[in-house]
Structures are given as C-alpha cells and as structure tokens.
Amino acid sequence: MRAKLFTGSVVLHAAAVVVAALVLPQRVPTHFGGGGEADDWSSRAGAVAVSALVGGALAALFTALAAGVRRLPVDMVNVPNTRCWRAPEHEAELRRRALDDLWTVGAATILLLTAAEGAIVQVALTGTGRLPWWFAAVLAAWLVGVLVWALTLGLTRYRVPGGAGRPTSSG
C-alpha cells in the first residue's frame, strides 16, 4: 500500500514538472533566501530540467534503498530491540515494516518537492518574487511530520510488544 503511495507521489511530481514546462515564463526564480525572496533565476528549460532531474534522482534513490532493504543482511539493520527483530522468525516482519517506513518518508519527500515546484510556478506567474505563505506551512508540516515519524519509529513501532520479546504484525 505504501509503495503505491510513493508511486503516486512520483507520478504527481512528474505531472507538476510537465505543467511547469508548459506554463512557466522564460525567466524562472530558482533559489530563495531565508526570508522567502527570490535571489537567483534561471531559464525555463534549466528550471524544468533541474526539477525533473531532482525528482527522478530522489525516486531512484528511494527505489534503490527499497531494494537494499530487501537484500541487506538482517544483522546490519539498526532498529530498537535488535535482539528481538533480528531473530529469524521476525525477519520478514522487520523487512516489511522497514519498507513501509521507507516508502512513507519517500512519498512525503517527493510531495514536498512537488509543493516546491508549485510554489516556484506561482512565484514565476504572479511576479511577486517571494515564496507564498502556504509553502512555509507545507515545509513546516513536512519537518514536523518527519520528526514525529522518527520518534514513533524509535519509541513505538519497533518496541518489543508487551515486553514478551516477540513483535506483532501490526504496525
């Protein structure tokens, strides 16, 4: 299920890049300072190429990491309660959870990149020269979401259920 979410986020990003290629003006803001003001510009072709390359590289990276999770020796996996999770009877569940976690963070990251593309298009088309307020909200939500996700992983997702030393299949 989460792999489909990741795939959907990649397709959405690709669609955003296509839309950007169709609607961006010739001069596009491509970098913004800490205050949200555009401070570097590029051509439409350059901006679209970078967006496509960054999105493609991230998609490839997360896909390669997923392949690694499937093949990595379980004794190299670092999770809380490793004695429990590295036991042969729990290896499949550990890999399933790790893949779910990877796909979730990957989807969130690709969606953040898609929001950035939308913000760039908005700035370029409106001529404001400043990132829209909503992008700061999206970035903050992503940061908080990743932090909460990481805390959940460390505190609950990989704990030994009931102290019995045996993980359950629930996530």
Side-chain angles (χ1 to χ4, degrees), residues 60-117:
L61 173 65
F62 280 101
T63 302
L65 289 171
V69 166
R70 291 182 184 101
R71 290 189 215 111
L72 187 69
V74 74
D75 63 329
M76 294 181 70
V77 176
N78 185 16
V79 293
N81 305 302
T82 54
R83 176 177 276 175
C84 170
W85 289 104
R86 288 180 182 171
E89 63 268 24
H90 303 305
E91 180 178 338
E93 180 64 15
L94 171 61
R95 289 183 192 282
R96 186 194 66 76
R97 288 185 187 201
L99 278 170
D100 279 355
D101 299 336
L102 179 71
W103 291 132
T104 300
V105 171
T109 301
I110 297 290
L111 290 173
L112 174 66
L113 188 61
T114 304
E117 187 69 27

Side-chain angles (χ1 to χ4, degrees), residues 18-84:
V18 169
V19 168
L22 295 173
V23 302
L24 282 173
Q26 287 303 317
R27 187 169 183 250
V28 180
T30 53
H31 188 269
F32 299 85
E37 295 290 328
D39 59 10
D40 197 13
W41 301 77
S42 178
S43 67
R44 174 180 46 213
V48 168
V50 168
S51 293
L53 287 172
V54 170
L58 276 175
L61 173 65
F62 280 101
T63 302
L65 289 171
V69 166
R70 291 182 184 101
R71 290 189 215 111
L72 187 69
V74 74
D75 63 329
M76 294 181 70
V77 176
N78 185 16
V79 293
N81 305 302
T82 54
R83 176 177 276 175
C84 170

Side-chain angles (χ1 to χ4, degrees), residues 6-7 11 16 81 86 90 106 123 139 143 164:
F6 176 78
T7 301
V11 169
N81 305 302
R86 288 180 182 171
H90 303 305
V123 173
L139 179 59
L143 289 168

Side-chain angles (χ1 to χ4, degrees), residues 32-33 35-38 116 119-120 122-123 128-136:
F32 299 85
E37 295 290 328
I120 288 170
Q122 182 177 340
V123 173
T128 60
R130 183 174 186 77
L131 283 171
W133 67 269
W134 60 262
F135 183 72

